[in-house]
Amino acid sequence: MIINKSIKTGSKEELINITGIVEEELRSSGIKEGRVLVFVPHTTAGVTINENADPDVRYDIIKGLRGLKFESMDFDHSEGNSPAHLKASLMGSSVNVIVDDNKLLLGVWQGIYFCEFDGPRNRKFIIQIQ
Amino acid sequence: MIINKSIKTGSKEELINITGIVEEELRSSGIKEGRVLVFVPHTTAGVTINENADPDVRYDIIKGLRGLKFESMDFDHSEGNSPAHLKASLMGSSVNVIVDDNKLLLGVWQGIYFCEFDGPRNRKFIIQIQ
Amino acid sequence: MIINKSIKTGSKEELINITGIVEEELRSSGIKEGRVLVFVPHTTAGVTINENADPDVRYDIIKGLRGLKFESMDFDHSEGNSPAHLKASLMGSSVNVIVDDNKLLLGVWQGIYFCEFDGPRNRKFIIQIQ
Protein backbone atom coordinates (compact mmCIF):
# COMPACT_ATOMS: atom_id res chain seq x y z
CA MET A 1 0.00 0.00 0.00
CA ILE A 2 1.44 3.34 -1.16
CA ILE A 3 0.22 6.66 0.25
CA ASN A 4 1.30 10.07 -1.06
CA LYS A 5 1.38 12.94 1.40
CA SER A 6 1.97 16.65 0.90
CA ILE A 7 3.62 18.97 3.37
CA LYS A 8 4.30 22.70 3.35
CA THR A 9 7.55 23.72 5.00
CA GLY A 10 7.86 27.19 6.50
CA SER A 11 11.58 27.91 6.75
CA LYS A 12 14.87 27.44 4.94
CA GLU A 13 15.76 24.62 7.35
CA GLU A 14 13.28 22.82 9.51
CA LEU A 15 12.51 19.40 11.04
CA ILE A 16 8.78 18.59 10.99
CA ASN A 17 7.35 15.79 13.11
CA ILE A 18 5.33 13.54 10.76
CA THR A 19 4.90 10.61 13.16
CA GLY A 20 1.18 11.32 13.66
CA ILE A 21 0.54 11.32 9.91
CA VAL A 22 2.31 7.98 9.47
CA GLU A 23 0.49 6.47 12.48
CA GLU A 24 -2.87 7.59 11.10
CA GLU A 25 -2.22 6.01 7.71
CA LEU A 26 -1.09 2.80 9.40
CA ARG A 27 -4.29 2.73 11.47
CA SER A 28 -6.44 3.27 8.36
CA SER A 29 -4.61 0.50 6.51
CA GLY A 30 -5.56 -2.02 9.17
CA ILE A 31 -2.22 -3.79 8.59
CA LYS A 32 -1.21 -5.65 11.76
CA GLU A 33 2.36 -6.78 11.15
CA GLY A 34 4.97 -5.63 8.70
CA ARG A 35 7.12 -2.69 7.90
CA VAL A 36 6.61 0.96 7.03
CA LEU A 37 8.93 2.84 4.72
CA VAL A 38 8.79 6.63 4.72
CA PHE A 39 10.47 7.89 1.55
CA VAL A 40 11.27 11.50 0.61
CA PRO A 41 11.33 12.06 -3.20
CA HIS A 42 13.46 15.22 -2.99
CA THR A 43 17.21 15.87 -3.14
CA THR A 44 17.40 18.81 -0.73
CA ALA A 45 15.19 17.27 1.94
CA GLY A 46 15.50 14.04 3.91
CA VAL A 47 13.95 12.08 6.75
CA THR A 48 15.29 10.96 10.11
CA ILE A 49 14.17 9.46 13.40
CA ASN A 50 15.07 11.41 16.54
CA GLU A 51 13.76 12.78 19.84
CA ASN A 52 10.08 13.76 19.98
CA ALA A 53 10.05 15.19 23.50
CA ASP A 54 12.15 18.35 23.78
CA PRO A 55 11.59 20.48 20.64
CA ASP A 56 15.07 21.94 21.16
CA VAL A 57 16.59 18.74 19.79
CA ARG A 58 15.25 19.37 16.32
CA TYR A 59 16.75 22.85 16.28
CA ASP A 60 20.01 21.42 17.60
CA ILE A 61 20.14 18.94 14.71
CA ILE A 62 19.82 21.81 12.23
CA LYS A 63 22.38 23.80 14.21
CA GLY A 64 24.81 20.88 14.37
CA LEU A 65 24.58 20.25 10.62
CA ARG A 66 25.16 23.95 10.01
CA GLY A 67 28.18 23.62 12.30
CA LEU A 68 29.73 21.32 9.68
CA LYS A 69 30.21 24.55 7.71
CA PHE A 70 29.09 23.34 4.31
CA GLU A 71 27.70 26.86 3.86
CA SER A 72 31.18 28.35 3.81
CA MET A 73 32.66 25.80 1.37
CA ASP A 74 33.18 26.56 -2.28
CA PHE A 75 30.88 24.39 -4.43
CA ASP A 76 30.34 24.03 -8.18
CA HIS A 77 26.56 23.51 -8.41
CA SER A 78 25.17 26.76 -9.80
CA GLU A 79 21.92 26.70 -7.84
CA GLY A 80 23.96 27.35 -4.70
CA ASN A 81 22.15 24.78 -2.60
CA SER A 82 24.86 22.11 -2.39
CA PRO A 83 24.84 22.25 1.44
CA ALA A 84 21.18 21.16 1.30
CA HIS A 85 22.05 18.27 -1.05
CA LEU A 86 24.78 17.15 1.36
CA LYS A 87 22.54 17.32 4.42
CA ALA A 88 19.83 15.36 2.57
CA SER A 89 22.31 12.53 1.90
CA LEU A 90 23.62 12.64 5.49
CA MET A 91 20.11 12.24 6.93
CA GLY A 92 18.99 9.84 4.19
CA SER A 93 16.01 9.57 1.87
CA SER A 94 14.06 6.98 3.84
CA VAL A 95 13.44 5.44 7.26
CA ASN A 96 12.15 1.96 8.08
CA VAL A 97 9.86 1.32 11.03
CA ILE A 98 8.63 -2.09 12.19
CA VAL A 99 4.85 -2.55 12.54
CA ASP A 100 3.52 -4.67 15.38
CA ASP A 101 -0.16 -5.02 16.29
CA ASN A 102 -1.04 -2.15 13.89
CA LYS A 103 1.38 0.17 15.73
CA LEU A 104 4.72 1.72 14.81
CA LEU A 105 7.36 0.00 16.93
CA LEU A 106 9.17 3.24 17.81
CA GLY A 107 11.07 3.88 21.02
CA VAL A 108 9.34 6.03 23.66
CA TRP A 109 11.37 9.10 22.70
CA GLN A 110 11.41 8.54 18.94
CA GLY A 111 9.56 10.54 16.31
CA ILE A 112 9.82 10.59 12.51
CA TYR A 113 11.01 13.93 11.13
CA PHE A 114 10.76 15.35 7.63
CA CYS A 115 14.00 17.34 7.19
CA GLU A 116 13.73 20.48 5.06
CA PHE A 117 17.11 21.91 4.05
CA ASP A 118 16.14 24.24 1.19
CA GLY A 119 12.72 25.65 1.98
CA PRO A 120 10.22 26.97 2.35
CA ARG A 121 8.63 24.74 -0.29
CA ASN A 122 5.71 22.47 -1.03
CA ARG A 123 7.09 19.01 -0.39
CA LYS A 124 5.96 15.40 -0.60
CA PHE A 125 6.69 12.17 1.16
CA ILE A 126 5.56 8.65 0.42
CA ILE A 127 4.47 6.06 2.97
CA GLN A 128 4.65 2.41 1.96
CA ILE A 129 3.07 -0.13 4.32
CA GLN A 130 3.90 -3.77 3.72
CA MET B 1 9.13 -12.24 13.01
CA ILE B 2 10.16 -9.63 15.60
CA ILE B 3 12.92 -10.29 18.15
CA ASN B 4 13.80 -7.92 21.01
CA LYS B 5 17.39 -7.90 22.20
CA SER B 6 19.03 -6.17 25.15
CA ILE B 7 22.57 -4.89 25.27
CA LYS B 8 24.65 -3.26 27.99
CA THR B 9 27.06 -0.63 26.74
CA GLY B 10 30.20 0.08 28.75
CA SER B 11 31.37 3.55 27.69
CA LYS B 12 30.12 6.99 26.73
CA GLU B 13 30.77 6.19 23.06
CA GLU B 14 31.24 2.72 21.70
CA LEU B 15 30.57 0.56 18.63
CA ILE B 16 29.53 -2.98 19.54
CA ASN B 17 29.58 -5.78 16.97
CA ILE B 18 26.12 -7.41 17.01
CA THR B 19 26.50 -9.43 13.80
CA GLY B 20 26.72 -12.74 15.68
CA ILE B 21 23.48 -12.02 17.58
CA VAL B 22 21.63 -11.20 14.36
CA GLU B 23 23.04 -14.29 12.60
CA GLU B 24 21.98 -16.53 15.48
CA GLU B 25 18.41 -15.22 15.41
CA LEU B 26 18.29 -15.67 11.66
CA ARG B 27 19.48 -19.26 12.01
CA SER B 28 16.84 -19.99 14.68
CA SER B 29 14.11 -18.47 12.50
CA GLY B 30 14.85 -20.93 9.71
CA ILE B 31 13.94 -18.23 7.18
CA LYS B 32 15.75 -18.92 3.89
CA GLU B 33 15.20 -15.83 1.78
CA GLY B 34 14.17 -12.33 2.69
CA ARG B 35 15.41 -9.31 4.50
CA VAL B 36 16.53 -8.47 8.01
CA LEU B 37 15.97 -5.06 9.56
CA VAL B 38 17.96 -4.14 12.66
CA PHE B 39 16.25 -1.20 14.35
CA VAL B 40 17.50 0.86 17.31
CA PRO B 41 14.64 2.37 19.38
CA HIS B 42 16.82 5.08 20.96
CA THR B 43 17.61 8.67 19.98
CA THR B 44 21.21 8.84 21.22
CA ALA B 45 22.29 5.50 19.73
CA GLY B 46 22.26 4.20 16.17
CA VAL B 47 23.35 1.31 14.01
CA THR B 48 25.77 1.04 11.11
CA ILE B 49 27.54 -1.51 8.95
CA ASN B 50 31.32 -1.24 8.77
CA GLU B 51 34.59 -3.18 9.00
CA ASN B 52 34.65 -6.27 11.22
CA ALA B 53 38.34 -7.11 10.87
CA ASP B 54 40.57 -4.45 12.41
CA PRO B 55 39.01 -3.28 15.72
CA ASP B 56 40.75 0.08 15.23
CA VAL B 57 38.14 1.02 12.62
CA ARG B 58 35.38 1.20 15.18
CA TYR B 59 37.43 3.52 17.37
CA ASP B 60 38.28 5.59 14.31
CA ILE B 61 34.58 6.02 13.52
CA ILE B 62 33.98 7.38 17.02
CA LYS B 63 37.10 9.54 16.71
CA GLY B 64 36.06 10.86 13.29
CA LEU B 65 32.56 11.76 14.49
CA ARG B 66 34.10 13.52 17.50
CA GLY B 67 36.31 15.35 15.01
CA LEU B 68 33.16 17.01 13.65
CA LYS B 69 33.31 19.01 16.88
CA PHE B 70 29.65 18.84 17.84
CA GLU B 71 30.92 18.72 21.44
CA SER B 72 32.21 22.27 21.22
CA MET B 73 29.05 23.73 19.62
CA ASP B 74 26.50 25.65 21.60
CA PHE B 75 23.20 23.74 21.73
CA ASP B 76 19.80 24.45 23.28
CA HIS B 77 18.74 21.00 24.51
CA SER B 78 19.06 21.13 28.29
CA GLU B 79 20.17 17.52 28.73
CA GLY B 80 23.45 18.45 27.09
CA ASN B 81 23.57 15.39 24.84
CA SER B 82 22.75 17.02 21.50
CA PRO B 83 26.01 15.72 19.96
CA ALA B 84 24.75 12.18 20.66
CA HIS B 85 21.40 12.97 19.00
CA LEU B 86 23.24 14.28 15.94
CA LYS B 87 25.52 11.26 15.68
CA ALA B 88 22.52 8.92 16.03
CA SER B 89 20.86 10.59 13.02
CA LEU B 90 24.11 10.57 11.02
CA MET B 91 24.56 6.81 11.52
CA GLY B 92 20.82 6.07 11.23
CA SER B 93 18.27 4.14 13.27
CA SER B 94 18.24 0.99 11.15
CA VAL B 95 20.17 -1.17 8.68
CA ASN B 96 18.81 -3.57 6.08
CA VAL B 97 20.56 -6.82 5.23
CA ILE B 98 19.53 -9.25 2.50
CA VAL B 99 18.99 -12.90 3.54
CA ASP B 100 20.02 -15.66 1.16
CA ASP B 101 20.02 -19.38 2.02
CA ASN B 102 19.40 -18.54 5.71
CA LYS B 103 22.54 -16.34 5.77
CA LEU B 104 23.14 -12.60 6.04
CA LEU B 105 24.39 -11.44 2.64
CA LEU B 106 27.13 -9.23 4.11
CA GLY B 107 30.44 -8.46 2.45
CA VAL B 108 33.51 -10.32 3.75
CA TRP B 109 34.66 -7.33 5.80
CA GLN B 110 31.24 -6.14 6.94
CA GLY B 111 29.81 -6.36 10.44
CA ILE B 112 26.72 -4.79 12.03
CA TYR B 113 27.52 -2.32 14.81
CA PHE B 114 25.33 -0.96 17.57
CA CYS B 115 26.50 2.65 18.01
CA GLU B 116 26.36 4.01 21.57
CA PHE B 117 26.79 7.78 21.76
CA ASP B 118 25.49 8.55 25.27
CA GLY B 119 26.35 5.58 27.46
CA PRO B 120 26.99 3.59 29.40
CA ARG B 121 23.35 2.43 29.40
CA ASN B 122 21.07 -0.55 29.11
CA ARG B 123 19.99 -0.48 25.48
CA LYS B 124 17.73 -2.41 23.14
CA PHE B 125 17.60 -3.27 19.50
CA ILE B 126 14.95 -5.01 17.46
CA ILE B 127 15.52 -7.58 14.73
CA GLN B 128 12.78 -8.08 12.18
CA ILE B 129 13.16 -11.01 9.78
CA GLN B 130 10.84 -11.07 6.78
CA MET C 1 14.92 -11.88 -6.20
CA ILE C 2 18.62 -11.13 -5.67
CA ILE C 3 20.83 -9.72 -8.42
CA ASN C 4 24.60 -9.25 -8.12
CA LYS C 5 26.16 -6.43 -10.13
CA SER C 6 29.80 -5.49 -10.68
CA ILE C 7 31.12 -2.00 -11.16
CA LYS C 8 34.59 -0.63 -11.87
CA THR C 9 35.32 2.69 -10.23
CA GLY C 10 37.86 5.01 -11.81
CA SER C 11 39.00 7.38 -9.07
CA LYS C 12 39.82 7.54 -5.38
CA GLU C 13 36.44 9.17 -4.70
CA GLU C 14 33.54 9.09 -7.10
CA LEU C 15 29.73 8.96 -7.21
CA ILE C 16 28.45 6.72 -10.03
CA ASN C 17 24.84 6.87 -11.18
CA ILE C 18 23.47 3.31 -11.08
CA THR C 19 19.79 4.19 -11.47
CA GLY C 20 19.62 2.82 -15.02
CA ILE C 21 21.08 -0.53 -13.93
CA VAL C 22 18.54 -0.86 -11.11
CA GLU C 23 15.67 0.16 -13.41
CA GLU C 24 16.71 -2.40 -16.01
CA GLU C 25 16.79 -5.23 -13.45
CA LEU C 26 13.40 -4.16 -12.13
CA ARG C 27 11.98 -4.21 -15.67
CA SER C 28 13.41 -7.70 -16.31
CA SER C 29 11.98 -8.97 -13.03
CA GLY C 30 8.46 -8.03 -14.11
CA ILE C 31 7.63 -7.23 -10.46
CA LYS C 32 4.81 -4.66 -10.36
CA GLU C 33 4.61 -3.56 -6.72
CA GLY C 34 7.06 -3.85 -3.89
CA ARG C 35 10.36 -2.53 -2.76
CA VAL C 36 13.91 -2.49 -4.07
CA LEU C 37 16.92 -2.58 -1.78
CA VAL C 38 20.30 -1.61 -3.20
CA PHE C 39 23.00 -2.92 -0.87
CA VAL C 40 26.76 -2.25 -1.02
CA PRO C 41 28.83 -5.11 0.47
CA HIS C 42 31.93 -2.94 1.07
CA THR C 43 33.15 -0.90 4.04
CA THR C 44 34.82 1.94 2.16
CA ALA C 45 31.98 2.50 -0.31
CA GLY C 46 28.33 3.35 0.20
CA VAL C 47 25.16 4.26 -1.65
CA THR C 48 22.98 7.36 -1.61
CA ILE C 49 20.09 8.99 -3.46
CA ASN C 50 20.69 12.52 -4.72
CA GLU C 51 20.36 14.84 -7.71
CA ASN C 52 20.59 13.27 -11.18
CA ALA C 53 20.40 16.50 -13.21
CA ASP C 54 23.45 18.70 -12.66
CA PRO C 55 26.58 16.47 -12.52
CA ASP C 56 28.22 19.13 -10.33
CA VAL C 57 26.14 17.94 -7.38
CA ARG C 58 27.95 14.63 -7.21
CA TYR C 59 31.31 16.36 -7.15
CA ASP C 60 29.99 18.74 -4.50
CA ILE C 61 28.99 15.81 -2.29
CA ILE C 62 32.55 14.44 -2.48
CA LYS C 63 33.91 17.95 -1.89
CA GLY C 64 31.59 18.56 1.08
CA LEU C 65 32.54 15.26 2.73
CA ARG C 66 36.21 16.09 2.20
CA GLY C 67 35.44 19.43 3.84
CA LEU C 68 34.70 17.53 7.05
CA LYS C 69 38.48 17.10 7.19
CA PHE C 70 38.63 13.43 8.15
CA GLU C 71 41.75 13.30 5.97
CA SER C 72 43.66 15.52 8.40
CA MET C 73 42.59 13.65 11.56
CA ASP C 74 44.87 11.21 13.31
CA PHE C 75 43.44 7.67 13.06
CA ASP C 76 44.58 4.27 14.36
CA HIS C 77 43.60 1.95 11.49
CA SER C 78 46.89 0.99 9.83
CA GLU C 79 45.53 0.82 6.28
CA GLY C 80 45.15 4.59 6.41
CA ASN C 81 41.70 4.63 4.88
CA SER C 82 39.64 5.49 7.95
CA PRO C 83 38.18 8.59 6.24
CA ALA C 84 36.69 6.24 3.63
CA HIS C 85 35.19 4.02 6.36
CA LEU C 86 33.62 7.09 7.97
CA LYS C 87 32.16 8.39 4.71
CA ALA C 88 30.75 4.93 3.93
CA SER C 89 28.87 4.93 7.26
CA LEU C 90 27.69 8.53 6.77
CA MET C 91 26.19 7.73 3.36
CA GLY C 92 24.99 4.26 4.43
CA SER C 93 25.25 0.75 3.04
CA SER C 94 21.81 0.57 1.44
CA VAL C 95 18.90 2.55 -0.01
CA ASN C 96 15.26 1.56 -0.25
CA VAL C 97 13.10 2.54 -3.21
CA ILE C 98 9.38 1.88 -3.56
CA VAL C 99 8.22 0.03 -6.70
CA ASP C 100 4.93 1.01 -8.31
CA ASP C 101 3.67 -0.31 -11.65
CA ASN C 102 7.10 -1.91 -12.32
CA LYS C 103 8.80 1.50 -11.90
CA LEU C 104 11.10 2.97 -9.26
CA LEU C 105 9.09 5.59 -7.38
CA LEU C 106 11.91 8.14 -7.37
CA GLY C 107 11.45 11.91 -7.39
CA VAL C 108 12.03 13.70 -10.73
CA TRP C 109 15.49 14.84 -9.68
CA GLN C 110 16.55 11.71 -7.82
CA GLY C 111 19.13 9.17 -8.90
CA ILE C 112 20.80 6.28 -7.06
CA TYR C 113 24.55 6.73 -6.63
CA PHE C 114 27.24 4.18 -5.82
CA CYS C 115 29.70 6.09 -3.61
CA GLU C 116 33.36 5.11 -3.99
CA PHE C 117 35.59 6.48 -1.23
CA ASP C 118 38.71 4.33 -1.60
CA GLY C 119 39.10 3.52 -5.26
CA PRO C 120 39.76 2.87 -7.97
CA ARG C 121 38.59 -0.72 -7.39
CA ASN C 122 36.40 -3.48 -8.72
CA ARG C 123 33.24 -3.19 -6.65
CA LYS C 124 29.91 -4.95 -6.27
CA PHE C 125 26.41 -4.05 -5.32
CA ILE C 126 23.38 -6.22 -4.73
CA ILE C 127 19.83 -5.46 -5.85
CA GLN C 128 17.01 -7.19 -4.01
CA ILE C 129 13.52 -6.83 -5.47
CA GLN C 130 10.61 -7.88 -3.27
Side-chain angles (χ1 to χ4, degrees), chain A residues 65 68 70 86-93, chain B residues 47-50 61 64-65 68 70 86-92 117, chain C residues 43 45-49 61 64-66 68-70 73 82-94 115 117:
Chain A
L65 292 175
L68 300 179
F70 293 131
L86 271 151
K87 292 172 187 181
S89 273
L90 287 176
M91 291 297 99
S93 53
Chain B
V47 60
T48 195
I49 291 176
N50 217 299
I61 288 177
L65 292 175
L68 299 179
F70 293 131
L86 272 151
K87 291 172 188 180
S89 273
L90 287 175
M91 291 298 99
F117 295 121
Chain C
T43 59
V47 60
T48 195
I49 290 176
I61 288 176
L65 293 175
R66 215 178 287 144
L68 300 179
K69 300 202 174 11
F70 293 131
M73 294 180 197
S82 286
H85 285 288
L86 272 151
K87 292 172 187 179
S89 272
L90 287 175
M91 291 297 99
S93 53
S94 68
C115 308
F117 295 121

Side-chain angles (χ1 to χ4, degrees), chain A residues 40 76-77 82 85 89 128, chain C residues 34-35 48 50 54 60 96 110:
Chain A
V40 169
D76 296 324
H77 182 43
S82 287
H85 286 288
S89 273
Q128 187 187 35
Chain C
R35 198 177 293 178
T48 195
N50 217 299
D54 179 2
D60 285 353
N96 281 284
Q110 285 184 317

Side-chain angles (χ1 to χ4, degrees), chain B residues 13 15 55-64, chain C residues 75-76:
Chain B
E13 297 189 294
L15 264 66
D56 280 344
V57 171
R58 57 177 194 261
Y59 298 112
D60 285 352
I61 288 177
I62 289 169
K63 204 184 266 192
Chain C
F75 290 113
D76 295 325

Side-chain angles (χ1 to χ4, degrees), chain B residues 33-35 48-52 54 56-57 59-68 90-91 95-100 105-111 130, chain C residues 1-2 4 35-37 39-44 68 70 73-79 81-82 85-86 88-91 93-94 96 126-130:
Chain B
E33 306 242 325
R35 199 177 291 179
T48 195
I49 291 176
N50 217 299
E51 166 149 347
N52 61 12
D54 178 2
D56 280 344
V57 171
Y59 298 112
D60 285 352
I61 288 177
I62 289 169
K63 204 184 266 192
L65 292 175
R66 214 178 287 144
L68 299 179
L90 287 175
M91 291 298 99
V95 292
N96 282 285
V97 185
I98 299 165
V99 173
D100 190 25
L105 211 57
L106 287 169
V108 193
W109 307 110
Q110 285 184 317
Q130 280 188 324
Chain C
M1 176 177 289
I2 297 168
N4 289 287
R35 198 177 293 178
V36 167
L37 183 78
F39 183 87
V40 170
H42 304 287
T43 59
T44 54
L68 300 179
F70 293 131
M73 294 180 197
D74 188 33
F75 290 113
D76 295 325
H77 183 43
S78 58
E79 284 185 71
N81 59 359
S82 286
H85 285 288
L86 272 151
S89 272
L90 287 175
M91 291 297 99
S93 53
S94 68
N96 281 284
I126 308 168
I127 304 167
Q128 187 187 37
I129 312 174
Q130 281 188 321

Side-chain angles (χ1 to χ4, degrees), chain B:
Chain B
M1 177 177 289
I2 297 168
I3 304 125
N4 289 286
K5 303 302 284 186
S6 291
I7 196 172
K8 211 178 161 57
T9 61
S11 323
K12 169 87 177 148
E13 297 189 294
E14 187 180 7
L15 264 66
I16 299 175
N17 193 334
I18 58 171
T19 319
I21 301 169
V22 179
E23 270 170 347
E24 203 178 292
E25 294 296 341
L26 175 59
R27 217 151 31 223
S28 306
S29 77
I31 291 171
K32 292 274 183 207
E33 306 242 325
R35 199 177 291 179
V36 167
L37 184 78
V38 179
F39 182 87
V40 170
H42 303 287
T43 59
T44 53
V47 60
T48 195
I49 291 176
N50 217 299
E51 166 149 347
N52 61 12
D54 178 2
D56 280 344
V57 171
R58 57 177 194 261
Y59 298 112
D60 285 352
I61 288 177
I62 289 169
K63 204 184 266 192
L65 292 175
R66 214 178 287 144
L68 299 179
K69 300 200 172 14
F70 293 131
E71 280 76 6
S72 61
M73 294 180 197
D74 188 32
F75 290 113
D76 295 325
H77 183 43
S78 58
E79 284 185 71
N81 58 0
S82 287
H85 286 288
L86 272 151
K87 291 172 188 180
S89 273
L90 287 175
M91 291 298 99
S93 54
S94 68
V95 292
N96 282 285
V97 185
I98 299 165
V99 173
D100 190 25
D101 196 24
N102 192 237
K103 287 193 202 81
L104 295 175
L105 211 57
L106 287 169
V108 193
W109 307 110
Q110 285 184 317
I112 307 171
Y113 287 91
F114 183 95
C115 309
E116 173 65 84
F117 295 121
D118 196 30
R121 296 205 202 194
N122 292 310
R123 297 291 203 174
K124 286 175 187 168
F125 60 93
I126 309 168
I127 304 168
Q128 187 187 37
I129 312 175
Q130 280 188 324

Side-chain angles (χ1 to χ4, degrees), chain A residues 101-118:
Chain A
D101 196 23
N102 193 237
K103 287 193 201 81
L104 295 174
L105 211 57
L106 287 169
V108 193
W109 306 110
Q110 285 185 317
I112 306 171
Y113 287 91
F114 182 96
C115 308
E116 173 64 85
F117 295 121
D118 196 29

